[in-house]
Amino acid sequence: MSIPSFHSPRIWKNGRGKLKRRVIKSSAPLFKASRPKTYRVQVNSYRKRVSQRLWQLLWSKVFWKRVLLVGVVVVLFSSILVVYYSKDLPSPNKIIDRSVAQSTKIYDRTGEKLLYEVSGQQKRTLIELQDIPQEAIWATISVEDKKFYQHGGISLRGTIRSILVDIFTGSKAQGGSTLTQQFVKNAILTNEKKISRKIKEWVLAYRMEQKFSKDEILKMYFNEIPYGSNAYGIEAAANYYFGKSAKDLVLAESAILAALTQAPSYYSPYGSHKDALIDRQHFILDQMVSEKYINQEQAEQAKKVELQFANRLTNITAPHFVMMVKDYLASKYGDQMVEQGGLKVITTLDADAQKMAEEAITAQAEKNEKNFQATNAALVALDVNTGQVIALVGSRDYFNDDIAGQVNVAIQPRQPGSSFKPIVYLTGFTRGFTPDSILFDLNTVFKANPKDYAPKNYDLKEHGPVSIRQALAGSLNIPAVKMLYLAGVANVLDLADKFGYTTLGERSRFGLSLVLGGGEVKLIEHVNAYATLAREGIKKDYSFILAVTDATGKQLEKLEEDNGGRIAEVEPVRMLADIMQDNSARAYIFGENNYLTLPNRPVAAKTGTTNDYHDAWTIGFTPYQVAAGVWVGNSDNATMKRGADGSVIAAPIWQAFMKNYLASKEVTSFTKPTYTNSNKAMIGGFIEGGAKVKIDKFTGKLATENTPPDAIEERTYKQVHNILHFVDKSDPLGPEPTDPQSDPQYSGWEEPVRKWAQEHNVINELPPSEFDNLHRAEDRPSVSILSPSDGQEIIANQFTVNVTAEAQRGIKNIKLFLNAQEVGELSSQPYGLNINLPYSIGNGSYQLIAKAYDDLLNVGQSTITVSINREEYIKATWISPSAGTTLSGSEFPYTLQMGVDNPALLDQVDFYYREQSSGQTHWINFTKQVSNTLVSVVWSEKPNKGIYKVY
């Protein structure tokens, strides 16, 4: 079959705005590729059935009756709507009349201090269409209603798109209304989202198109449309924003006014989205080029025009905070409600805290600019318990255009530098690492795409093996990158999502530089994440509005109490906070006297500085009180001077605010973490690893079944490697990796560790591979106990033991034991010994053991059972401390207590402790003339950290 060509009419405009019609012809076939024959038969069969059914339906009288009935109903219903909604359509001379608007007032948290009043007194000056520059008309038509001169008042396509966006996204559709509809909505109707209001809008727009010419509608539109604040109509807007009449607007200014009408509050040049306004202006200029109203050269020249906005903001407190509130209100209730609705808004802002924040920035800002070319600063403070914003300074000076002062840096994405490290280390703590885990701080090349990555520390030094406590407190970069790799970039980003960061969604952008601030964050979200740490892992959304009421006193919204939700376990957060408040741990880098402390008050803090000194940060918190963060830099991202570190230019501002704000607040303390280190090298807090091997101490070879127990020693052959040698990053607390070299980072991490070991004379030892061949089974001595006899009762404190023994290599000595306690030794024949029973051996059944040794410690053993039943002996029991007790340094001096059943037998009691690691014994104290069953002495001198046996 042949495919007919199609003709597509298209309306377009020439450079002078005149309408022309062009017909574009195309004879391109709808289908090119041939299909298999069987498929074509199936399709043709289906089409034939459908065609027959359609013909039957079209020839059906019932069908046409139903069509006619539906048509009559639609026409009748439409006619009723038109009559009902257009019966009171005002004349062109009265259509701009409207009721008096009421101003919206924004207060601090007390509801008494007025921060800003959104003026409700309208300013409107009527103007003739010929007094409006053609560029202003073209700019508005290009972006708001390209088909203005073609439609009859309603854009069916735009209406359908608007409905679909409302249904499927719940957001406000843009571009769904014609200029006529926009005029009707603003001049006659309201912004309420009701079907009845939309029907009125369609009907009235259609009737207006029937009654008025396009130029009359344009005139009314440009005299009525709101441009923000209290400026209605283009003449008032031109005067408000540029201090001139509309007829004097240039192309760049005309495009700005056209950009404002879509969302006057959001795009306000006096708000936080001026950059978005300029972007929309450029978009409109490009649209004008596309529609052939102007050429490309005119558009580019207009984009380069330096716009001079009139300074209109007066009598405003906390301007960035106020504009953030105003943006929120406009997005929720609409610009018209904010500008005219008489809202009363109670915010979370603490006026005193806001003043402290502004004063802290002002006091440091000039120094930063003079010494480090840092022209701007921002500060956000949150009440930890509620998540409420108590202070927000978006820039050093809102009214200073030289520093882009109207840009609210508190809500702008900026690179956080090392201030993001706590999120990375917290992820590591949740996977089994502790503050004592060790990482090598050595210059390391990390394998990465598209090229390898070799970070450096701020001081350009290497610090060898460091604990995580030292690494984080000292803000060392190389260990931090290793921690990110071990914790897993995906795991860190998952945790960041839980903490509420909204700028890290495009995960493919992030690699190992993420830990050093490679991903942008917003200051307000960053501070809220630290507030979550201050709550020990409970996340709450930050808030800035307590209540909103309308002009009638009706409450539109009220902040409900946020109980939050746990996003991190308590112990890992406590580990992190314990490091961040440890000033002694950071002193080796920052010095003891730094700006990260507060007088007589524990506080956790972290600094951040980006590469090339674009951003400097300090963020910190006190437990369950306040979290505050400071950013310093340049709004245009210009580089500051070298040395513009967060601890130097941001920390003084942070400390000044925190000190003043907390001056009258209660001192709160952090809870110490309780954790047990792993027994694995590096992760457990020690650098040396390796297998423990049983060795024959005579030959140095591996012990066998013939090696005597006393000739066996367990040796650990020390192995110093990078952490990947001992830890599988997918399961840090699990078994050591069987093939650690298969990790892609292993070689890059291992080479600097090998060099470090050589420089520090640390030699990796390998265990022996040969087995003990000196000891033989036939060399074992034989021994027999002659007396006492097996089962004999011993009633005195002294008894005699006689033994016989022989061996191929001769007998060196014979040792006697009661259970495990050695009670005597025989070295020559005849083998007999009188044993005095010590008081530590009580009455009861015991094994009497004789062990005979030769010169190679080959041993033979004989065992009998004896019953000790003495008339006089002392029975002692430990009271304090009990077995397994952990003592902290603050508990010394400590009182040792022991109970005895017969104190009359005692002359003196000495107390000792023995080190488990070295076996060294230390005397503690003694007591004489015991007259009580409770024996006690004071342990005065605190021992070093370790495990001890007290006796």
Side-chain angles (χ1 to χ4, degrees), residues 595-837:
Y595 289 104
L596 304 180
T597 61
L598 295 176
N600 303 317
R601 182 187 295 271
V603 62
K606 184 71 188 74
T607 63
T609 310
T610 55
N611 290 338
D612 300 324
Y613 301 97
H614 289 289
D615 305 88
W617 304 69
T618 296
I619 307 182
F621 56 88
T622 53
Y624 292 97
Q625 279 182 317
V626 62
V630 173
W631 168 90
V632 174
N634 295 301
S635 296
D636 61 359
N637 206 33
T639 302
M640 298 177 286
K641 276 188 178 180
R642 181 171 182 82
D645 181 79
S647 63
V648 176
I649 62 176
I653 299 173
W654 175 86
Q655 187 192 59
F657 170 78
M658 293 287 280
K659 188 186 299 183
N660 289 335
Y661 179 76
L662 291 167
S664 60
K665 303 291 190 299
E666 176 189 2
V667 175
T668 58
S669 299
F670 293 94
T671 303
K672 281 284 185 182
T674 57
Y675 59 89
T676 302
N677 281 314
S678 166
N679 58 3
K680 297 175 66 173
M682 305 295 283
I683 198 171
F686 50 94
I687 67 171
E688 295 167 337
K692 292 183 178 181
V693 180
K694 291 183 178 181
I695 300 295
D696 169 33
K697 58 187 178 184
F698 286 92
T699 63
K701 299 178 181 180
L702 296 173
T704 67
E705 61 181 4
N706 294 322
T707 306
D710 290 341
I712 294 176
E713 63 180 9
E714 192 173 65
R715 294 181 186 174
T716 299
Y717 286 84
K718 297 177 180 179
Q719 298 285 307
V720 177
H721 296 283
N722 77 86
I723 193 170
L724 293 174
H725 191 90
F726 309 107
V727 176
D728 182 348
K729 67 185 182 69
S730 64
D731 184 15
L733 295 181
E736 293 186 6
T738 56
D739 183 20
Q741 291 87 350
S742 63
D743 189 292
Q745 299 293 347
Y746 184 89
S747 59
W749 294 22
E750 182 71 2
E751 180 58 24
V753 173
R754 185 185 62 79
K755 291 180 179 178
W756 176 89
Q758 289 179 345
E759 292 170 359
H760 290 78
N761 297 319
V762 178
I763 301 174
N764 285 339
E765 299 178 89
L766 296 175
S769 57
E770 296 181 353
F771 290 92
D772 172 22
N773 56 4
L774 178 62
H775 297 92
R776 303 178 302 170
E778 56 267 28
D779 290 339
R780 291 176 184 169
S782 62
V783 61
S784 178
I785 299 175
L786 300 177
S787 65
S789 59
D790 190 19
Q792 181 176 327
E793 181 181 28
I794 299 173
I795 60 174
N797 284 327
Q798 187 182 80
F799 69 99
T800 302
V801 177
N802 292 300
V803 177
T804 181
E806 61 180 8
Q808 289 191 23
R809 298 181 63 90
I811 299 297
K812 182 179 180 181
N813 62 344
I814 300 172
K815 292 183 178 181
L816 302 175
F817 300 85
L818 282 172
N819 288 351
Q821 183 172 344
E822 185 176 345
V823 293
E825 182 176 352
L826 306 170
S827 58
S828 60
Q829 295 186 13
Y831 299 119
L833 181 65
N834 291 325
I835 295 176
N836 291 310
L837 289 173

Side-chain angles (χ1 to χ4, degrees), residues 327-342:
D327 285 346
Y328 164 79
L329 296 171
S331 66
K332 186 168 184 178
Y333 301 107
D335 286 287
Q336 186 176 8
M337 188 67 161
V338 175
E339 304 286 353
Q340 308 169 24

Side-chain angles (χ1 to χ4, degrees), residues 382 410 414-423 499-501 521-532 542 606 617 619 627 629:
L382 301 179
R414 304 288 303 211
Q415 289 194 345
S418 294
S419 66
F420 191 72
K421 287 177 182 175
I423 305 300
F499 268 90
Y501 293 100
V521 302
K522 297 178 181 179
L523 174 60
I524 193 168
E525 293 178 352
H526 208 18
V527 175
N528 196 42
Y530 275 60
T532 300
Y542 67 85
K606 184 71 188 74
W617 304 69
I619 307 182

Side-chain angles (χ1 to χ4, degrees), residues 883-912:
T885 297
T886 299
L887 301 177
S888 64
S890 61
E891 294 181 77
F892 284 83
Y894 185 84
T895 300
L896 300 171
Q897 293 181 323
M898 184 178 68
V900 296
D901 65 339
N902 195 349
L905 296 176
L906 291 175
D907 177 59
Q908 177 174 314
V909 180
D910 289 83
F911 289 78
Y912 301 83

